[in-house]
Amino acid sequence: MGPKFAQCFVSVLVLLSQLLSLTDGRDIGVCYGLNGNNLPPPKDVINLYKRNQIEDIRIYQPYPEVLEALRGSGLSVAIGPRNEDIASFAASQDAANAWVNTNIVPYKNNVSFKWITIGNEIIPGPLGSNVPAAMNNIKNALTSIGLTGVKVTTVLAGTALGTSYPPSAGAFRSDITETMTSIATILAQEDAPLMINVYPYFAYSSDPTHITAQYALLTSTAPVVMDGSLSYYNLFDAMVDSFNAALEKISFGNVKLVVAETGWPTAGNAPYTSASNAQTYNKNLLNHVMQNGTPRRPGFIMPTFFFEMFNENLKENTVEQNFGFYYPNMQPVYPFW
């Protein structure tokens, strides 16, 4: 083996080991929705996660059959109550205790609960003001059973922002600033993240005149938006950083973000929806979030959940039905994992 070949071989080995360690340590998840009447059994689904080395799973309510399938799986779980149950948790510690005793306690020894999401996109809205008290009461209930490491949070959509462009101008709507300050106070005390749903697809498809496909699909090779000294090559980073700026404006820039949903549909709104666009967005985003922070938080590798595992035929419209990586027969919609 010549010295040049040996040097190249060592370089390849170093690069390979770095990539392997990156993959092993990735905090990447996929959302598992059940709004379909033809979906595979939960045990088969959990095995699919494991075969694909997907480490995190998000479910939207405590389905017993899914929790049973998660026993001993090693997957880290994000789970939440139904939105309509949250007001009762805010009003009553007993109600919060009962939910935890029913849905967490029976599984706590062999299901790895990592996040409890109190509310999915209910801020702004009539239920939103209940979230801080509900978070506190669920956290109290978890502490009482010894699960002190589980992070209690909530999930926001972009509608929580009153301003989002440029990213540095990001600010919460004035009517929810008090609620968000209360939530951020709890998150900071517990070192818990704020979860956000981030969908460049919807922004791009609603305004393709001003938003390019390259900016939305993470294929731009030059900055598209200059925001002071920060350069934005993709819309995903810009959308995330508008939330970072909003947290800074209420003096909680130390609260980290986790992406609770992001994805791209394969059908229902051509030419914006396609398997090719979905594959491009999700592949580029996976590579991006495993290696890079955002311009505003360059040092933070953000845990990210992709939406979603399966196409769900009971969703309300064709676009919403076609975000899945897999068809219900467990065949891939496009090559990915």
Side-chain angles (χ1 to χ4, degrees):
M1 184 185 292
K4 288 186 177 179
F5 181 82
Q7 185 177 12
C8 180
F9 183 69
V10 169
S11 297
V12 169
L13 283 180
V14 169
L15 178 61
L16 184 60
S17 67
Q18 289 173 340
L19 288 172
L20 287 173
S21 64
L22 181 65
T23 304
D24 289 343
R26 66 185 182 179
D27 213 343
I28 298 297
V30 177
C31 301
Y32 174 24
L34 280 89
N35 289 320
N37 59 13
N38 55 357
L39 297 172
K43 194 69 177 176
D44 293 345
V45 174
I46 301 309
N47 287 334
L48 184 61
Y49 273 74
K50 293 170 68 175
R51 284 201 304 275
N52 289 327
Q53 298 182 315
I54 300 166
E55 297 182 350
D56 300 341
I57 183 171
R58 182 183 176 203
I59 57 178
Y60 292 86
Q61 56 180 287
Y63 301 100
E65 65 275 20
V66 176
L67 291 169
E68 286 293 339
L70 282 165
R71 289 189 189 272
S73 68
L75 298 181
S76 295
V77 179
I79 184 174
R82 300 178 305 166
N83 285 343
E84 55 264 36
D85 294 334
I86 290 169
S88 67
F89 302 158
S92 166
Q93 183 65 60
D94 287 343
N97 294 346
W99 186 88
V100 168
N101 287 333
T102 300
N103 300 298
I104 304 297
V105 170
Y107 310 97
K108 71 183 182 74
N109 292 331
N110 47 19
V111 174
S112 179
F113 296 107
K114 189 170 182 178
W115 303 274
I116 306 290
T117 55
I118 305 301
N120 184 52
E121 299 187 347
I122 65 171
I123 302 170
L127 294 173
S129 61
N130 294 294
V131 171
M135 287 174 61
N136 273 328
N137 286 344
I138 290 291
K139 182 64 182 175
N140 292 340
L142 293 169
T143 300
S144 72
I145 61 167
L147 288 182
T148 55
V150 180
K151 304 301 185 183
V152 180
T153 182
T154 191
V155 181
L156 301 182
T159 51
L161 298 177
T163 308
S164 60
Y165 183 85
S168 60
F172 293 115
R173 288 171 41 146
S174 59
D175 58 331
I176 65 166
T177 300
E178 183 178 350
T179 297
M180 287 310 307
T181 301
S182 298
I183 289 170
T185 301
I186 297 167
L187 297 175
Q189 289 171 347
E190 300 294 335
D191 191 27
L194 176 66
M195 286 187 157
I196 57 174
N197 294 339
V198 182
Y199 284 101
Y201 160 76
F202 288 111
Y204 164 57
S205 63
S206 66
D207 190 12
T209 302
H210 297 103
I211 298 173
T212 66
Q214 292 78 13
Y215 191 49
L217 292 168
L218 292 88
T219 59
S220 177
T221 57
V224 176
V225 171
M226 294 299 300
D227 186 8
S229 62
L230 301 180
S231 303
Y232 287 88
Y233 289 73
N234 65 78
L235 181 55
F236 174 86
D237 280 352
M239 295 173 80
V240 171
D241 271 352
S242 64
F243 275 98
N244 280 318
L247 285 166
E248 291 169 16
K249 287 181 176 63
I250 60 170
S251 302
F252 283 101
N254 59 321
V255 171
K256 293 181 172 63
L257 297 173
V258 166
V259 174
E261 290 179 14
T262 190
W264 198 284
T266 54
N269 187 24
Y272 312 110
T273 56
S274 68
S276 175
N277 280 351
Q279 184 183 47
T280 297
Y281 175 78
N282 285 326
K283 278 288 188 188
N284 288 343
L285 187 67
L286 179 63
N287 292 334
H288 179 59
V289 298
M290 285 174 58
Q291 301 178 60
N292 305 296
T294 65
R296 208 168 188 88
R297 298 288 186 273
F300 178 56
I301 303 301
M302 187 168 46
T304 299
F305 284 88
F306 287 81
F307 188 85
E308 60 179 329
M309 203 59 164
F310 297 101
N311 285 345
E312 297 177 81
N313 66 351
L314 298 182
K315 286 287 190 73
E316 61 187 27
N317 60 58
T318 307
V319 169
E320 294 287 347
Q321 292 171 6
N322 286 280
F323 273 88
F325 288 110
Y326 289 91
Y327 296 108
N329 65 4
M330 299 182 71
Q331 293 302 305
V333 178
Y334 50 88
F336 192 79
W337 303 101

